[in-house]
Amino acid sequence: MYSAYRKIFRAPGALGFSSAGFFARLPIAMAPIGIVAMLSQTSGEYWLAGAVSATFALTNALLSPQISRLVDRKGQTAVLLPTTVVSVIAFAALIFAANRDWPAWTFFLSALFAATMPSMPAMLRARWTEIFRGRPELNTAFAFESAADELVYIAGASLSVGLAVSLFPEAGMVASTGFLALGTSAFLVQRGTEPKVRVVKEGIRQGSAIWLRPVQIITLALIFVGSTFATAEVSAVAITKELGRPDTASLVIGVYATGSFIVGLILGALNPKMALQRQLLIALTVLALTALPLLVASSSVALLAAAVFFSGIAISPVFITAFGLIERRVPEAMLTEGVTWVMTGVGIGMAFGAFLSGWVVDTFGPSNGFWVSVFASAAAWVTVAVAQNTLAGERASSPELAPTS
């Protein structure tokens, strides 16, 4: 397994941009929970902290595809530099406003501007694609990125909350902002691996990637998949609290991501030859089947942790094959935007999943929250199953393109 990953990092510049990108994307996990940890302590109002965090997360979900579309047209450096500067300044303003107890509207305004934070996972996958387009190593690279995403979510949220609680309320957000600024800077100075811009010839209009059927199908499927993430978190917190062990919630959530992390690394090393749309359907089948034991796993923390571990093993395979399909079915000039739309789908799913599972827990009890995972994973399976022929098609037709240096 080690040799497969060693091979992709032999490519010139791969280790450098991947390392920088890992730190640059930590704010994806650190910022939303960091805002809650910071404002809940400085203002004492959880509703305000949650509202500001939701404002940032939802605005970022809407802006990210548009920023990535500009990246496809103008290049990573030209777009990421100004958007990151705006985001860093806005985060700094939010931290200062919280520290100085400024009016609540300043929190929301800062969160809106901070949402210009670009989608670093999409930028990383675009660079890997530029290096390994059409080669089997690309699947291994995507597997590594999916595993890295899991690691970010395991470590990022815990780090953000831990700093805010152990040091001072703004500590998590200070660290998150620092990672964004320094990580993105280190990423952008590595121009040798930056994807070339493929310019649409004059007189030909280029639409958005979201109008392509494969992007719509995969984004919809991952909205359902994303909802299973939030359901696992909400239900784990509710069940462990009911069991009188609220301190074990973070452990259970960490186990969920750990299973996905391990299987993702193994799948990337094996690099199966089966058609990607079939691999995605199989991964979603596993996701749906492993959701069922969650319904009877609320009697003990150990049983819950075991069921959650197995329910997470299909997450990375879903991501790996989904992004692989995007790379193969979306025109090269729309790749970054296409990947970002799929990630936006995950974010939307997490938002809806958190709301719906919270309502189910409040209405029917903690043990029933996982029904959202069962229905969501089944819906994702149906979405991909009925679209197998579409996903098996050729790369979507694109406007005539001319690469630029």
Side-chain angles (χ1 to χ4, degrees):
M1 183 173 74
Y2 175 74
S3 61
Y5 291 98
R6 183 174 60 183
K7 186 176 181 180
I8 65 172
F9 285 110
R10 285 175 179 167
L15 182 60
F17 81 73
S18 180
S19 300
F22 178 83
F23 290 101
R25 66 179 154 188
L26 277 171
I28 295 174
M30 293 184 69
I33 190 65
I35 292 172
V36 172
M38 177 177 68
L39 292 180
S40 62
Q41 293 184 78
T42 57
S43 70
E45 298 178 308
Y46 280 91
W47 74 266
L48 177 61
V52 174
S53 180
T55 298
F56 164 76
L58 293 177
T59 306
N60 183 250
L62 294 173
L63 288 181
S64 289
Q66 314 311 320
I67 292 171
S68 292
R69 187 179 181 187
L70 284 174
V71 167
D72 284 328
R73 294 181 175 186
K74 305 294 184 181
Q76 290 186 349
T77 301
V79 178
L80 265 58
L81 183 58
T83 54
T84 301
V85 168
V86 171
S87 184
V88 167
I89 292 173
F91 275 132
L94 177 58
I95 294 169
F96 191 80
N99 180 264
R100 297 296 178 178
D101 196 25
W102 284 3
W105 67 265
T106 62
F107 303 159
F108 289 99
L109 183 62
S110 298
L112 284 172
F113 281 99
T116 60
M117 184 179 75
S119 175
M120 288 306 300
M123 308 304 156
L124 285 156
R125 287 176 172 87
R127 293 205 179 197
W128 285 118
T129 301
E130 189 74 8
I131 296 173
F132 294 123
R133 181 177 281 112
R135 295 165 57 183
E137 290 88 348
L138 183 59
N139 190 63
T140 303
F142 278 5
F144 171 79
E145 288 303 322
S146 294
D149 286 339
E150 296 289 349
L151 188 58
V152 164
Y153 280 106
I154 293 172
S158 298
L159 177 62
S160 187
V161 173
L163 290 173
V165 172
S166 61
L167 297 179
F168 51 91
E170 302 87 357
M173 286 304 301
V174 170
S176 175
T177 306
F179 284 134
L180 177 62
L182 297 178
T184 305
S185 297
F187 181 80
L188 292 179
V189 297
Q190 301 178 63
R191 300 296 299 274
T193 53
E194 182 174 347
K196 295 180 179 179
V197 176
R198 287 164 173 83
V199 180
V200 180
K201 291 187 177 181
E202 187 176 354
I204 299 178
R205 185 176 181 181
Q206 180 182 354
S208 172
I210 195 59
W211 301 118
L212 301 175
R213 288 292 292 165
V215 177
Q216 293 174 345
I217 293 165
I218 296 173
T219 299
L220 177 60
L222 264 69
I223 286 176
F224 293 124
V225 172
S227 68
T228 66
F229 298 172
T231 300
E233 294 178 358
V234 172
S235 297
V237 170
I239 291 174
T240 54
K241 182 178 180 180
E242 185 180 54
L243 292 172
R245 298 289 305 279
D247 56 308
T248 61
S250 59
L251 174 63
V252 172
I253 295 170
V255 164
Y256 180 68
T258 301
S260 176
F261 176 78
I262 295 171
V263 174
L265 288 178
I266 295 173
L267 182 64
L270 295 176
N271 206 352
K273 305 302 180 184
M274 183 185 297
L276 284 174
Q277 72 275 7
R278 294 181 182 177
Q279 290 186 47
L280 179 58
L281 186 61
I282 291 172
L284 289 172
T285 302
V286 174
L287 183 69
L289 292 176
T290 54
L292 296 174
L294 293 169
L295 300 175
V296 293
S298 60
S299 59
S300 71
V301 172
L303 185 61
L304 176 64
V308 165
F309 176 85
F310 285 107
S311 72
I313 62 175
I315 298 299
S316 276
V318 167
F319 279 176
I320 294 165
T321 50
F323 290 125
L325 281 167
I326 289 293
E327 186 275 327
R328 296 189 185 185
R329 302 292 176 255
V330 174
E332 294 175 5
M334 298 180 176
L335 177 62
T336 310
E337 184 193 355
V339 170
T340 305
W341 273 115
V342 173
M343 300 201 68
T344 297
V346 175
I348 293 172
M350 290 181 69
F352 280 110
F355 170 77
L356 186 57
S357 59
W359 177 81
V360 171
V361 166
D362 286 340
T363 306
F364 301 103
S367 62
N368 289 303
F370 283 120
W371 277 106
V372 177
S373 290
V374 172
F375 284 109
S377 56
W381 184 91
V382 170
T383 300
V384 172
V386 299
Q388 284 289 288
N389 290 337
T390 300
L391 295 176
E394 298 297 323
R395 188 185 298 274
S397 59
S398 62
E400 295 182 61
L401 305 172
T404 64
S405 57

